[in-house]
Amino acid sequence: MESMLNKLKSTVTKVTADVTSAVMGNPVTREFEVGRHIASGGPGMSWRIYNGTKKSTKQEVAVFVFDKKMIDKYQKFEKDQIVDSLKRGVQQLTRLRHPRLLTVQHPLEESRDCLAFCTEPVFASLSNVLGQWDNLPSPVPNDIKEYKLYDVETKYGLLQISEGLSFLHSGVKMVHGNLCPENIILNKSGAWKIMGFDFSISSTNPSDAEPKYTCKEWEPNLPPLCLPNPEYLAPEYILSVSCDSASDMYSLGVVMHAVFNEGKPVFQVNKHDIFKSFSRQLDQLSSMNPALLNKIPDEVRDHVKMLLSVTPNVRPDADQMTKIPFFDDVGAVTLQYFDSLFQRDNLQKSQFYKGLPKVLPKLPKRVVVYRILPALTSEFVNPDMVPFVLPNVLLIAEECTKEEYVRLILPDLTPVFKQQEPVQASNMILLIFLQKMDLLLTKTPAEDIKNSVLPMVYRALEAPSVQIQELCLNIIPTFANLIDYPSMKNSLIPRIKSACLQTSSLAVRVNSLVCLGKILEYLDKWFVIDEILPFLQQIPSREPAVLMGILGIYKCTFNHKKLGIPKEHLASKSLPHLVSLSIDNNLNLNQFNSFMVVIRDMLSRMENEHKTKLEQLHVMQEQQRSLNISNPGSQSEETKSPPSSGNQIDELFGSTGVNGKENGSATTAPQPNRMSLTLEEKQRLAKEQEQAAKLRNQQPLAPQTAKPATTTNSQTKDLTSSLLNNMTSLNSLSLANTARPAPVQGTTISAFPSMGTAVSNGFNPAMGFQAGGMGMGMRPTGPSLYGGMAATTSTPNFGAITQNQGHIGQTNKAPDMSALDSLFTPSKPKVTLNQMSPMVTSGANTPWVSQFGSAQTAQTQMQGASVGMGGVPSFGVQANPFFSPQNFSQPAAAPSMNQSGIKHSASANNDLKDLFG
């Protein structure tokens, strides 16, 4: 690795030293930066060609340098002759201006060590391309070593040389005198240019119709650089010391032979015996061997044979050569037209550019990129021509690599992205760019996309032309995957929504919806739910196409595996909106059916999702309940609480308990501090809890529908009295230390009698409906699963009861439960609620109440006061979402006394005050 670096370092140092030594002190270096050595050319390949730039403008140039060290072997007068010959050639070239001649950017400058001048950017000489690498850097650059001429390049190159000779012969009345591959330069775009006017001969009578040229006799003793290349000279130069324009045509014939024969001329000349060589050559030309020209194309073979004729008058002139069929190739004609575009008007140019896309695929990429593309981009300065030129530029861009696109095309396209004048041309430019948007986004760097391409798309969405808006909306989905997400979210989507809401065109509105539907997959779920779906409700029109577009977006969002609509959004927003749209009078039957299919799908999914959720919660509740049953001793005596009435309610109404929550649990009231109890009190408390446990463990009766009472009210009263006597100790407890719960607003109860009298339901001990809640701590357990009012539950505080009994001097005798034993004997009929509490009418029967026959009893909330039934957990009737008003509604009772003399809830508080003080 180190050796490679050292070798590279030595090479760079050598090249730098060569350049420095070659041009050091030359005035050219004041204005131009000299780069690397790229080629060689000129008479005897004596000129080294470097690339360079102008310091002031950064314009690219080629720097031709002749190093005087090359001629150190000659005598001083020979050196002077060589330098004078070279200077004369450059000075002559500088005076001549023509597209077929090499353009001089800076005239010849001489220093002690070198001659130098600057020209247009150059690739190489034709001699380099054909394989002559004299005076080239070592190693030979790969671009020259691997360069191969295409047929179209060869044809058009020879045509260009013919045109250059035509200019010299007809326009300037000059003979070049040394036309050969080393004096033909290929510029950077591939055009062939003539240079090397060292031996040019001007006419002695330029004003006359027939010019006369004076030819110098061949002097073999002069240095080679002071003589033209003999292999390309016409025979008359040497043999008759005469020349005219036909002599250059002979040279052209030899050049054409060399181009098709790998750089080899027709004859090899012995420079030491030039006269003998030319005499032999003359004989061979007189009897031309057909095999000599077998590599030349058939279309031009006869013309080359004529050019190589011994008789000058037989040779075609330069103007005739430009018109031969060989140069009528479509590629050559296209390139020729480009070179003459500056002479055409806009109408002619537009017609040419319209037909160009058919020709470009037939041309080699190198020709298109380096010859045609620069000519096209130069037309961008003409705004009226941009719509005709742009399609061809983008067609070329498709064939370019990303690096070529960024280097050769993008700099010229950037101003076109922002062009807005004239309006008609600007609209056409937008349409063209939109059609090729995938190309632009694929090859343009991200920074340029953000700064140039996307602003153009936004401008198209806001354009006044409906056609442009429609096209833009149709094309956006095709390249949406290439747009970065922040740009789409913050810039593109808002403009699409704005176009949809503000346009007066139905087509734009529908296309906006279609466009949104197609790019949904590139958006995230919550952006669609928060921005796209609410936007649909803002669309003012109700045309069928618009409604179906809205439906399509809902359907795509609903069905897309990445998106989807949550059931909460379905229930509260999506379904109400779709249902309201589905009954629009503008929809036909098929369209209505499409709406209903989507609505049914949404309802079905919402039902399944919510049902699944409730089932999962139910399973969790059952698992928790099983765990509690299997581990009864896991809770301490201080924290153990009796089972909630919600358990049996769950059995009746499913997994949702009294609170409307699947996993709800009753709140346990704080237990008294038993550390302060005496041994006697603890024994009494244990007996009380044992009795309560027996009551709780009593098996509930199977739920039955309430039947009309078959016994008299007197039997009911006797039974009730018996139950009340057994609960006397409970009812007489002091409630002085019990906190009264806050009233709950908005709850009513009409299914129960007023609370002034203790009532028995036939299954449990007598129940006292006390406004204070029997000292039970009651608090809401939170909102129900469906968002309704939360029911409240309470846990009986037996510890508080027994403690209070101890303080007031009550005995430890357990309550007499014999009345309960008589209830469950077969001889006694079941007692319904109708027998327990006289109702206003027979229609007030509530069959569901009889289903609560267990140790747990319901509690209701009544007019701002929570009601506890015998200290058992309770629930609010109105708060349970499962209670159907049709099944459980009670007739309203008058505020006066009912038939049994029990007051209704309006006066219940007064009776409670009288009862408890």
Side-chain angles (χ1 to χ4, degrees), residues 274-521:
I274 192 76
F275 297 102
K276 186 175 181 180
S277 295
F278 267 83
S279 298
R280 187 169 57 251
Q281 178 179 330
L282 188 63
D283 295 337
Q284 292 175 348
L285 290 174
S286 302
S287 56
M288 180 76 68
N289 185 358
L292 195 63
L293 305 177
N294 59 358
K295 290 187 178 181
I296 297 177
D298 294 339
E299 313 95 283
V300 75
R301 188 175 298 165
D302 291 338
H303 298 91
V304 173
K305 188 176 181 179
M306 294 173 65
L307 290 172
L308 296 177
S309 173
V310 176
T311 307
N313 295 334
V314 176
R315 303 167 192 161
D317 61 29
D319 190 55
Q320 290 173 334
M321 281 299 296
T322 60
K323 297 178 174 61
I324 64 175
F326 178 69
F327 296 136
D328 287 339
D329 179 80
V330 61
V333 172
T334 301
L335 295 176
Q336 186 180 28
Y337 197 94
F338 269 110
D339 288 336
S340 61
L341 271 179
F342 64 93
Q343 302 173 1
R344 317 287 177 172
D345 58 25
N346 284 350
L347 180 60
Q348 293 174 318
K349 290 180 181 179
S350 63
Q351 293 298 326
F352 172 70
Y353 291 139
K354 286 179 181 179
L356 187 59
K358 299 178 182 178
V359 179
L360 290 178
K362 300 177 183 179
L363 299 176
K365 177 182 175 180
R366 185 173 68 212
V367 175
V368 171
V369 171
Y370 293 100
R371 285 298 312 275
I372 295 179
L373 181 61
L376 290 173
T377 54
S378 65
E379 282 287 347
F380 283 156
V381 297
N382 185 353
D384 293 327
M385 285 292 101
V386 173
F388 301 99
V389 174
L390 188 58
N392 297 293
V393 174
L394 297 179
L395 186 61
I396 296 172
E398 290 180 352
E399 302 300 323
C400 291
T401 64
K402 186 172 182 178
E403 185 273 332
E404 290 172 336
Y405 169 81
V406 172
R407 178 168 54 90
L408 301 174
I409 299 178
L410 184 59
D412 295 306
L413 281 183
T414 302
V416 182
F417 287 138
K418 303 174 183 178
Q419 182 172 330
Q420 300 185 36
E421 295 293 338
V423 176
Q424 185 176 3
S426 175
N427 290 341
M428 293 179 66
I429 292 170
L430 282 176
L431 292 174
I432 295 168
F433 274 133
L434 290 174
Q435 292 169 345
K436 295 290 185 180
M437 190 57 61
D438 55 341
L439 165 70
L440 297 177
L441 294 177
T442 302
K443 295 190 175 181
T444 306
E447 190 66 22
D448 292 289
I449 289 176
K450 183 177 180 181
N451 295 333
S452 300
V453 179
L454 290 182
M456 180 192 63
V457 176
Y458 305 151
R459 195 169 71 248
L461 284 173
E462 298 168 349
S465 171
V466 172
Q467 181 186 6
I468 293 178
Q469 285 184 316
E470 284 188 58
L471 180 62
C472 185
L473 292 168
N474 289 332
I475 291 176
I476 285 175
T478 63
F479 61 82
N481 61 314
L482 303 175
I483 302 177
D484 62 294
Y485 185 72
S487 297
M488 178 177 289
K489 177 181 176 181
N490 300 322
S491 299
L492 183 62
I493 297 296
R495 284 175 169 84
I496 296 176
K497 290 164 61 177
S498 177
C500 181
L501 294 177
Q502 297 178 5
T503 185
S504 59
S505 169
L506 177 61
V508 171
R509 182 163 291 159
V510 173
N511 282 319
S512 299
L513 294 173
V514 173
C515 178
L516 284 176
K518 289 181 178 179
I519 64 178
L520 284 176
E521 59 181 315

Side-chain angles (χ1 to χ4, degrees), residues 895-909:
S896 60
M897 301 288 287
N898 61 17
Q899 294 178 359
S900 63
I902 300 175
K903 296 180 181 179
H904 287 285
S905 58
S907 59
N909 288 336

Side-chain angles (χ1 to χ4, degrees), residues 716-717 719-725 727 731 752-761 765-771 833 835-838 862 867-870 897-905 907-916:
T716 304
K717 293 178 180 179
L719 177 61
T720 304
S721 300
S722 176
L723 291 175
L724 289 174
N725 291 333
M727 294 297 293
N731 290 337
F752 295 98
S754 62
M755 302 297 108
T757 305
V759 181
S760 172
N761 64 359
M767 297 176 293
F769 290 79
Q770 302 178 16
L833 186 64
Q835 295 172 319
M836 289 186 258
S837 176
M862 179 185 66
V867 182
M869 299 174 64
M897 301 288 287
N898 61 17
Q899 294 178 359
S900 63
I902 300 175
K903 296 180 181 179
H904 287 285
S905 58
S907 59
N909 288 336
N910 296 330
D911 292 334
L912 291 174
K913 290 179 180 178
D914 295 338
L915 180 62
F916 297 107

Side-chain angles (χ1 to χ4, degrees), residues 66-301:
F66 174 75
D67 191 351
K68 292 181 179 180
K69 292 180 181 179
M70 293 178 60
I71 56 174
D72 283 347
K73 61 182 178 179
Y74 295 105
Q75 299 294 326
K76 185 178 184 306
F77 75 95
E78 292 177 323
K79 291 181 183 179
D80 294 340
Q81 286 179 318
I82 294 172
V83 171
D84 290 343
S85 176
L86 293 174
K87 291 170 64 176
R88 179 175 179 274
V90 176
Q91 292 167 352
Q92 189 71 276
L93 177 64
T94 305
R95 286 194 292 266
L96 298 173
R97 293 285 180 174
H98 190 268
R100 302 301 176 239
L101 307 182
L102 186 64
T103 303
V104 177
Q105 302 282 8
H106 187 85
L108 181 69
E109 298 280 2
E110 183 178 7
S111 66
R112 184 184 64 181
D113 297 322
C114 69
L115 302 175
F117 67 100
C118 297
T119 69
E120 60 184 297
V122 164
F123 170 68
S125 66
L126 180 59
S127 186
N128 291 152
V129 171
L130 294 177
Q132 187 176 353
W133 298 337
D134 297 347
N135 211 10
L136 279 179
S138 179
V140 178
N142 287 331
D143 52 354
I144 292 180
K145 187 185 299 184
E146 299 172 0
Y147 194 92
K148 301 297 179 185
L149 290 170
Y150 293 105
D151 287 343
V152 64
E153 291 179 303
T154 301
K155 289 180 180 179
Y156 188 57
L158 293 173
L159 175 60
Q160 288 176 306
I161 299 303
S162 300
E163 291 175 344
L165 291 177
S166 177
F167 165 73
L168 292 176
H169 298 165
S170 302
V172 187
K173 300 292 195 307
M174 177 186 291
V175 173
H176 185 278
N178 191 24
L179 185 66
C180 55
E182 57 201 39
N183 284 327
I184 297 175
I185 301 295
L186 278 65
N187 70 4
K188 196 169 184 180
S189 64
W192 293 19
K193 303 292 186 83
I194 298 174
M195 69 165 291
F197 288 86
D198 307 41
F199 309 102
S200 61
I201 304 170
S202 298
S203 173
T204 56
N205 56 342
S207 59
D208 295 345
E210 289 293 332
K212 293 182 181 180
Y213 302 99
T214 302
C215 181
K216 294 183 179 179
E217 186 177 354
W218 183 266
E219 300 180 21
N221 296 325
L222 290 176
L225 290 179
C226 295
L227 295 171
N229 189 336
E231 293 176 342
Y232 292 86
L233 277 181
E236 60 267 22
Y237 264 107
I238 306 300
L239 300 177
S240 62
V241 194
S242 63
C243 66
D244 59 6
S245 59
S247 302
D248 283 342
M249 301 311 296
Y250 178 91
S251 300
L252 177 61
V254 181
V255 169
M256 294 177 72
H257 180 277
V259 168
F260 293 108
N261 285 271
E262 301 175 353
K264 298 176 182 178
V266 179
F267 302 107
Q268 297 292 331
V269 175
N270 184 0
K271 299 179 182 179
H272 300 288
D273 193 359
I274 192 76
F275 297 102
K276 186 175 181 180
S277 295
F278 267 83
S279 298
R280 187 169 57 251
Q281 178 179 330
L282 188 63
D283 295 337
Q284 292 175 348
L285 290 174
S286 302
S287 56
M288 180 76 68
N289 185 358
L292 195 63
L293 305 177
N294 59 358
K295 290 187 178 181
I296 297 177
D298 294 339
E299 313 95 283
V300 75
R301 188 175 298 165

Side-chain angles (χ1 to χ4, degrees), residues 552-834:
I553 292 179
Y554 272 115
K555 184 176 180 180
C556 290
T557 306
F558 178 70
N559 292 328
H560 198 281
K561 60 182 179 181
K562 189 184 82 170
L563 301 176
I565 304 177
K567 59 184 175 64
E568 293 81 8
H569 194 282
L570 286 175
S572 61
K573 296 179 182 178
S574 300
L575 280 171
H577 187 215
L578 284 176
V579 170
S580 65
L581 296 181
S582 66
I583 60 173
D584 193 279
N585 293 330
N586 293 324
L587 297 176
N588 59 31
L589 179 59
N590 291 334
Q591 294 166 342
F592 172 75
N593 288 337
S594 300
F595 266 89
M596 296 313 297
V597 167
V598 176
I599 291 173
R600 280 193 289 266
D601 289 344
M602 289 182 173
L603 284 171
S604 177
R605 184 178 296 181
M606 182 179 68
E607 177 186 2
N608 293 336
E609 287 182 2
H610 197 65
K611 184 177 180 181
T612 301
K613 176 183 176 182
L614 295 179
E615 289 174 349
Q616 292 173 350
L617 292 176
H618 176 70
V619 170
M620 294 171 59
Q621 181 187 17
E622 291 298 325
Q623 292 175 349
Q624 183 66 32
R625 184 179 302 168
S626 300
L627 183 63
N628 292 338
I629 293 174
S630 62
N631 300 305
S634 61
Q635 293 179 332
S636 64
E637 285 295 326
E638 290 78 6
T639 59
K640 186 182 296 182
S641 62
S644 171
S645 63
N647 295 342
Q648 272 127 8
I649 295 173
D650 289 346
E651 294 174 1
L652 293 175
F653 294 101
S655 61
T656 303
V658 295
N659 295 321
K661 299 177 70 173
E662 295 189 4
N663 222 3
S665 61
T667 302
T668 303
Q671 299 292 330
N673 185 4
R674 298 190 180 189
M675 297 298 294
S676 61
L677 298 180
T678 64
L679 179 61
E680 182 180 358
E681 291 174 340
K682 290 181 180 179
Q683 291 175 349
R684 184 172 64 251
L685 176 61
K687 290 181 179 180
E688 293 289 340
Q689 290 181 345
E690 181 181 357
Q691 197 71 18
K694 290 181 180 180
L695 182 63
R696 291 195 301 270
N697 294 333
Q698 186 68 46
Q699 293 295 327
L701 294 178
Q704 294 184 1
T705 305
K707 299 179 181 179
T710 58
T711 59
T712 61
N713 285 339
S714 62
Q715 293 174 326
T716 304
K717 293 178 180 179
D718 294 340
L719 177 61
T720 304
S721 300
S722 176
L723 291 175
L724 289 174
N725 291 333
N726 288 322
M727 294 297 293
T728 302
S729 60
L730 295 176
N731 290 337
S732 61
L733 294 177
S734 172
L735 302 177
N737 297 329
T738 306
R740 189 180 300 266
V744 181
Q745 299 297 327
T747 60
T748 61
I749 179 167
S750 59
F752 295 98
S754 62
M755 302 297 108
T757 305
V759 181
S760 172
N761 64 359
F763 303 114
N764 297 326
M767 297 176 293
F769 290 79
Q770 302 178 16
M774 290 291 294
M776 295 178 290
M778 302 170 63
R779 62 180 180 181
T781 59
S784 68
L785 186 63
Y786 296 91
M789 181 183 296
T792 60
T793 62
S794 62
T795 304
N797 191 342
F798 290 102
I801 294 174
T802 56
Q803 185 179 12
N804 291 337
Q805 287 177 337
H807 286 298
I808 62 177
Q810 293 290 335
T811 64
N812 294 336
K813 183 178 180 180
D816 185 6
M817 297 297 180
S818 60
L820 292 176
D821 296 335
S822 64
L823 284 175
F824 301 106
T825 58
S827 60
K828 285 273 188 177
K830 293 181 175 63
V831 182
T832 65
L833 186 64
N834 293 338

